[in-house]
């Protein structure tokens, strides 16, 4: 019994020390989880929100907003938010302080694709073809919600990769005024055998007067998962060529080939490159 009491006395300070150390831990808050009830989609959607340093709802400062597709915490929200925060350091000052809105996925095949005429794609992607509803959600519900609830103002950027890049391209060609900047990475132009490349668009016409900046990045990705053989890099180049035929000077297009990256690894480096190209640092001397 004496030995047992001695052991308990020896162990007690260690236990208290561990408890004391644990009690000093505090959560590291990167952002906030918000929720919007969408009539367009018929469901609630989770939003991951990053508010820049110094943000206060009560002041008069308004911030540009970045809308990030594939914006769940286990997708692209954390690392893309880090890129914006890094590029906003005072000694870099490449991008303005921005609000990041990560749109968490429910069914990206459903939300990011328009109807296809290819039977194999219909069979493989059972829920596909509802991008019009998702674009309506962004235009009629999400953007007004963010503007009303947060200190949002100035430019609006959309970031999309793969099927998200397909959706960003569709918005660019069909409803270009929804955003001021488009960061399109490895877009799945192969969908519906590249029919999006044949689409006529207001941005190609001489009377289009809204300034737009478009970044298109693609890695060494090879054949697309399409019934008709298509190469991802070629499709990205075809999209760039289509946009550069614009007869107005309000559309700036930046193409970026990243041969050291593939479809799985490209997003982080491409977003970093896009921020540099879309926001050139002016000579301060």
């Amino acid at each position: 019994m004496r030995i047992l009491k001695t052991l308990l006395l020896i162990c007690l300070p260690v236990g208290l020390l561990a408890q004391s150390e644990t009690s000093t831990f505090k959560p590291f808050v990167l952002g906030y989880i918000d929720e919007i009830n969408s009539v367009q989609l018929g469901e609630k959607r989770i939003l991951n929100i990053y508010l820049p340093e110094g943000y206060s709802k009560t002041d008069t400062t308004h911030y540009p907003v970045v809308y990030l597709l594939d914006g769940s915490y286990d997708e692209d929200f954390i690392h893309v938010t880090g890129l914006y925060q890094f590029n906003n350091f005072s000694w870099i000052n490449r991008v303005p302080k921005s609000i990041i809105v990560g749109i968490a996925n429910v069914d990206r095949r459903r939300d990011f694709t328009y109807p296809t005429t290819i039977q194999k794609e219909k069979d493989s992607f059972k829920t596909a073809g509802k991008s019009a509803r998702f674009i309506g959600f962004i235009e009629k519900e999400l953007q007004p919600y963010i503007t009303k609830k947060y200190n949002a103002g100035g430019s609006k950027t959309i970031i999309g990769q793969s099927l998200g890049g397909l959706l960003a391209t569709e918005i660019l060609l069909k409803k270009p005024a929804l955003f001021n900047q488009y960061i399109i990475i490895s877009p799945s132009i192969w969908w519906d055998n590249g029919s999006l490349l044949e689409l006529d668009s207001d941005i190609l016409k001489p009377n289009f007067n809204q300034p737009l900046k478009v970044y298109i990045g693609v890695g060494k990705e090879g054949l697309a998962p399409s019934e008709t053989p298509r190469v991802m890099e070629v499709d990205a180049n075809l999209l760039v060529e289509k946009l550069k035929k614009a007869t107005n000077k309000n559309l700036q297009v930046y193409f970026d080939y990243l041969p050291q990256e593939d479809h799985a690894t490209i997003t982080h480096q491409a977003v970093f490159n896009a921020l540099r190209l879309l926001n050139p640092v002016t000579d301060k001397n």
Side-chain angles (χ1 to χ4, degrees), residues 97-115:
K97 290 183 176 181
S98 303
I99 298 169
I100 314 294
V101 179
I103 309 170
N105 278 322
V106 172
D107 183 348
R108 67 195 302 273
R109 292 184 174 187
R110 176 196 71 185
D111 292 336
F112 296 170
T113 61
Y114 53 89

Side-chain angles (χ1 to χ4, degrees), residues 87-155:
N87 278 280
N88 184 245
F89 283 146
S90 60
W91 56 91
I92 299 175
N93 197 27
R94 177 170 287 134
V95 299
K97 290 183 176 181
S98 303
I99 298 169
I100 314 294
V101 179
I103 309 170
N105 278 322
V106 172
D107 183 348
R108 67 195 302 273
R109 292 184 174 187
R110 176 196 71 185
D111 292 336
F112 296 170
T113 61
Y114 53 89
T116 178
T117 59
I118 309 300
Q119 189 60 46
K120 184 178 179 181
E121 292 173 357
K122 293 179 181 180
D123 295 338
S124 299
F125 295 71
K126 298 292 187 182
T127 61
K130 303 297 190 299
S131 64
R133 294 196 318 180
F134 194 76
I135 295 171
F137 159 68
I138 292 174
E139 179 182 15
K140 300 175 183 178
E141 296 176 329
L142 180 58
Q143 288 187 346
Y145 176 82
I146 296 299
T147 299
K148 181 178 180 180
K149 186 169 182 178
Y150 300 94
N151 292 357
S155 69

Side-chain angles (χ1 to χ4, degrees), residues 227-279:
E227 186 173 37
T228 302
R230 302 188 70 94
V231 178
M232 298 283 287
E233 297 96 307
V234 173
D235 278 345
N237 272 281
L238 290 173
L239 176 59
V240 171
E241 290 178 6
K242 177 183 180 69
L243 295 177
K244 286 190 173 181
K245 291 179 181 178
T247 53
N248 66 78
K249 296 182 179 180
N250 293 306
L251 179 63
Q252 298 181 46
V253 182
Y254 302 87
F255 178 66
D256 191 15
Y257 178 50
L258 293 81
Q260 294 182 321
E261 310 297 340
D262 59 25
H263 200 71
T265 65
I266 188 173
T267 303
H268 191 85
Q269 187 61 53
V271 173
F272 183 86
N273 290 357
L275 295 184
R276 183 177 65 244
L277 290 169
L278 297 177
N279 304 279

Side-chain angles (χ1 to χ4, degrees), residues 157-172:
T157 300
I158 186 170
I159 302 176
Q161 188 262 346
S162 191
L163 287 179
L166 176 70
L167 180 77
T169 304
E170 183 182 1
I171 295 174
L172 172 65

Side-chain angles (χ1 to χ4, degrees), residues 17-30:
L17 178 61
Q19 184 178 3
S20 176
E21 289 179 347
T22 303
S23 66
T24 64
F25 292 169
K26 296 180 181 179
F28 181 86
V29 178
L30 177 66

